[in-house]
Amino acid sequence: MAVTARPKLDAQKLRADFPIFNELIHGKPLSFLDSAASSQKPRQVLDAMQRFYETSYANVHRGVYELAERATAGYEGARETVGRFLNAPSAREIVFTRNATEAINIVAYAWGMNNLGPGDVVLVTELEHHSNFVPWQYVAHRAGADFRMLPLDDEGGLRLDALDELAGTGRVKVVAAGMVSNSLGSVNPVEKLAAWAHDRGAIMVCDAAQGAPHRVVDVQALGADFVAVTAHKLCGPSGIGALWGRMELLQEMEPFNLGGHMISRVTFEDTSWGEVPAKFEAGTQAIAEAVGFGAAVDYITEIGLDAIEQHEHELAAYGLERLAELPWVKTYGPPADRRAGIISFNVDGIHPHDVAQILDGEGVAIRAGHHCCQPLMAKLGVAATNRASFYLYTVTDEIDRLVDGLHKVRKILS
Amino acid sequence: MSDQLYREVILDHYKNPRGHGVIEDADAEAEGFNPLCGDEVSIYVSFADDDETIEDVKFSGRGCAISQAATSMLVDMAKGRKATELAEMPKDELLEEIGIPLSPIRLKCALLGLGVLKIALHRAKGTPLPQEWAGLDELEFK
């Protein structure tokens, strides 16, 4: 494949791929600033799934007939695509899951329950989304292991200097961190955390749900042992995600879900497990969604992850600049050059629900709440924030409409 | 839509809440929390000499305009009525007073205060709690 330089993307042009932007919301054009929660879907992905259902659908891995072979080829082809996307050494290390949360639960249960015990330490960060926090908190408590949190600096960066002291003399077994914070947009130094984890003999688990849509995720360069991703945040369908794990770890692990397809041999007395990844894919999977996942990866890869990352940096810088014009708005998190396209903010004295509601009336969709990060909100000393988040189809006009909307919020509620 | 939602009476209650504060040594009190958005409401009740008529109600907490305004309106509605009457008060009576169409997620904001009041009365007077309130089971009460 010829390598062409694609430093920029044309968001205005890309918007034509997304039918949702034809919708009017309360009679106004849509300004969709909630892509960190879930992204919109391009025609290419919707068509790929529709085409699969119309021409290739059957259950996978079972039938001997033509359609079953087409369906299997579609499903396994998607696994190859996702494997290449993450630069996995082998596509067999890609386990399809419902979402990134389920991917982390597989590791927490199937690895954690069998490898953690009293005296062990599980270390997560204060930034974590509940998806990479609650499973570890629960499994650590169940296993009698210590559960500790890496603190943040004033800009929402991880205090790597606190690692050694935090670990103390405990046996650190798991370090779990997100690649990009879904609330603050901070980009975490996963490579450094992974190196530290491995020095300590721990495994590194990276939640890349918020990373993979926006920047290159190379599991080998990260040096992590497990990486979780989800399709719905990167232009793919909901209901499908993936766990990448190092093969030797996946092979040692017990299964998580039990049932059809994940077996090798079943007798009245006992069952032996199938090979990785089948061992972790019990029951009929989200087949067409896997095909959609593959199509979404193709779509964003064609645009170029570097171009997407650059576009979002520019939007974050523009958004922070525009919000800085409003003295009654407080933003949280790192400067633009160290953050993905996510801005959390509060309007003086006005609850985020009211902000989001009034903005909705203007056709501007933002998220208001704790963003599944209650420990972080407690740290920031707020109950909730507003969050505007951007993606490859976001244009500066949408940010301008956010700012106009915030003036209206003030007019109504102050 | 938002213009309709934040109509004048709601804004008035939000900006000038009735009965905002705390009753020390209240005869009944309870606290509620909406984990979806972090709204918090505490309600304090004192009874008249007959020990069943609500003489005074105050509330404290923080939250969105809808939750705070709805609780403020509830304070106006509750004073002078009997505990048993309020325990039986259907949620629609408050919703009619609020008088705006609420989406399911905002409904929880609007009903938080009423839920807290009913729990406070239940604790103090043993009045029955509502059997079913759409979505209210997601709220947490203390």
Side-chain angles (χ1 to χ4, degrees):
Chain A
M1 192 175 79
V3 179
T4 37
R6 285 180 207 267
K8 293 279 283 180
L9 60 76
D10 186 345
Q12 196 59 54
K13 198 169 144 220
L14 290 173
R15 287 170 83 80
D17 292 338
F18 292 78
I20 197 77
F21 292 119
N22 297 327
E23 284 293 302
L24 292 181
I25 305 295
H26 307 305
K28 293 172 182 155
L30 171 63
S31 167
F32 186 74
L33 302 179
D34 195 23
S35 291
S38 199
S39 68
Q40 295 298 340
K41 317 304 172 197
R43 177 64 68 200
Q44 289 83 338
V45 169
L46 303 173
D47 286 351
M49 291 176 71
Q50 172 107 3
R51 203 162 50 240
F52 178 76
Y53 273 128
E54 287 177 354
T55 65
S56 309
Y57 185 76
N59 212 329
V60 296
H61 297 138
R62 285 162 233 206
V64 291
Y65 49 88
E66 167 68 17
L67 265 191
E69 282 176 18
R70 285 189 205 170
T72 305
Y75 184 71
E76 291 302 324
R79 194 192 305 281
E80 298 277 342
T81 304
V82 173
R84 276 195 303 276
F85 176 59
L86 299 176
N87 195 28
S90 160
R92 291 197 305 121
E93 294 176 341
I94 302 294
V95 176
F96 281 128
T97 62
R98 275 191 302 144
N99 44 40
T101 296
E102 190 185 52
I104 293 163
N105 272 272
I106 290 176
V107 184
Y109 275 90
W111 193 91
M113 281 300 205
N114 292 297
N115 289 281
L116 291 173
D120 293 337
V121 175
V122 175
L123 208 155
V124 306
T125 81
E126 288 182 342
L127 269 181
E128 285 326 287
H129 187 281
H130 292 169
S131 63
N132 203 24
F133 186 97
V134 180
W136 292 115
Q137 188 183 45
Y138 178 77
V139 167
H141 287 174
R142 285 282 301 268
D146 273 1
F147 179 71
R148 297 180 192 170
M149 266 161 288
L150 184 61
L152 305 181
D153 63 26
D154 292 342
E155 287 184 339
L158 297 179
R159 290 261 322 273
L160 295 184
D161 59 303
L163 275 171
D164 288 328
E165 196 187 331
L166 190 63
T169 54
R171 271 196 313 273
V172 182
K173 284 280 191 72
V174 177
V175 178
M179 191 176 195
V180 171
S181 158
N182 71 305
S183 324
L184 298 184
S186 350
V187 181
N188 291 328
V190 176
E191 294 91 339
K192 286 180 186 162
L193 274 174
W196 183 87
H198 290 156
D199 275 351
R200 288 267 174 168
I203 60 163
M204 177 73 213
V205 182
C206 177
D207 178 354
Q210 205 61 256
H214 311 294
R215 54 206 295 115
V216 173
V217 177
D218 178 333
V219 297
Q220 299 187 58
L222 280 178
D225 298 288
F226 293 100
V227 175
V229 294
T230 194
H232 74 91
K233 290 191 204 288
L234 50 81
C235 295
S238 55
I240 185 121
L243 170 69
W244 169 82
R246 278 204 292 120
M247 182 53 83
E248 59 269 33
L249 290 172
L250 291 172
Q251 281 171 338
E252 284 164 16
M253 274 158 64
E254 294 292 313
F256 178 56
N257 288 317
L258 305 164
H261 183 63
M262 52 76 66
I263 52 93
S264 165
R265 186 177 166 79
V266 181
T267 66
F268 283 126
E269 291 76 30
D270 207 3
T271 296
S272 56
W273 315 135
E275 293 295 319
V276 174
K279 185 169 79 172
F280 298 103
E281 294 183 0
T284 295
Q285 297 292 298
I287 305 167
E289 286 77 4
V291 170
F293 190 177
V297 165
D298 286 340
Y299 180 76
I300 62 172
T301 307
E302 171 70 20
I303 293 164
L305 270 295
D306 290 335
I308 294 170
E309 187 184 349
Q310 179 58 30
H311 178 65
E312 291 183 17
H313 272 311
E314 287 167 18
L315 291 170
Y318 183 76
L320 286 169
E321 198 182 295
R322 293 281 350 246
L323 290 176
E325 293 166 15
L326 314 176
W328 31 271
V329 166
K330 176 175 171 53
T331 58
Y332 304 94
D337 59 334
R338 276 185 282 133
R339 79 156 80 201
I342 292 173
I343 301 177
S344 274
F345 63 93
N346 266 321
V347 181
D348 274 356
I350 300 176
H351 191 282
H353 256 185
D354 297 318
V355 176
Q357 183 100 51
I358 292 170
L359 288 174
D360 178 56
E362 303 301 303
V364 179
I366 63 156
R367 174 81 193 274
H370 53 64
H371 318 300
C372 295
C373 289
Q374 287 177 350
L376 174 64
M377 294 294 123
K379 172 104 180 177
L380 296 174
V382 297
T385 68
N386 305 282
R387 180 185 69 188
S389 55
F390 318 130
Y391 204 18
L392 53 91
Y393 42 67
T394 308
V395 291
T396 51
D397 174 58
E398 291 174 293
I399 297 172
D400 294 338
R401 289 181 52 208
L402 166 68
V403 172
D404 293 347
L406 289 174
H407 282 290
K408 179 157 186 187
V409 169
R410 280 269 291 185
K411 204 170 130 219
I412 293 177
L413 286 179
S414 287
Chain B
M1 185 197 173
S2 58
D3 298 343
Q4 192 185 355
L5 191 57
Y6 296 93
R7 69 195 185 101
E8 208 49 51
V9 59
I10 300 283
L11 290 175
D12 178 43
H13 276 272
Y14 170 60
K15 291 174 183 172
N16 311 294
R18 323 298 196 255
H20 204 267
V22 175
I23 300 177
E24 301 295 341
D25 305 319
D27 297 319
E29 64 177 89
E31 184 186 352
F33 179 66
N34 180 350
L36 288 167
C37 55
D39 290 343
E40 295 167 8
V41 168
S42 293
I43 291 193
Y44 311 85
V45 180
S46 63
F47 295 111
D49 290 340
D50 65 0
D51 205 26
E52 56 177 339
T53 305
I54 294 172
E55 189 175 66
D56 196 13
V57 185
K58 289 204 185 305
F59 77 102
S60 63
R62 58 177 186 174
C64 65
I66 302 297
S67 72
Q68 302 301 303
T71 308
S72 170
M73 290 170 141
L74 178 66
V75 164
D76 276 352
M77 294 167 79
K79 281 185 193 170
R81 291 169 79 175
K82 290 191 165 42
T84 46
E85 249 180 89
L86 271 177
E88 285 165 13
M89 184 180 119
K91 64 177 192 291
D92 290 341
E93 196 179 323
L94 176 61
L95 294 178
E96 274 168 29
E97 191 70 21
I98 295 170
I100 47 174
L102 291 166
S103 64
I105 196 161
R106 299 315 296 273
L107 202 56
K108 293 180 186 117
C109 306
L111 293 176
L112 178 62
L114 183 59
V116 174
L117 177 60
K118 291 202 180 207
I119 283 175
L121 296 175
H122 169 71
R123 284 185 188 153
K125 298 284 166 201
T127 49
L129 289 173
Q131 294 295 310
E132 180 276 327
W133 280 359
L136 215 65
D137 47 351
E138 285 171 40
L139 303 176
E140 292 170 13
F141 297 104
K142 281 194 274 198

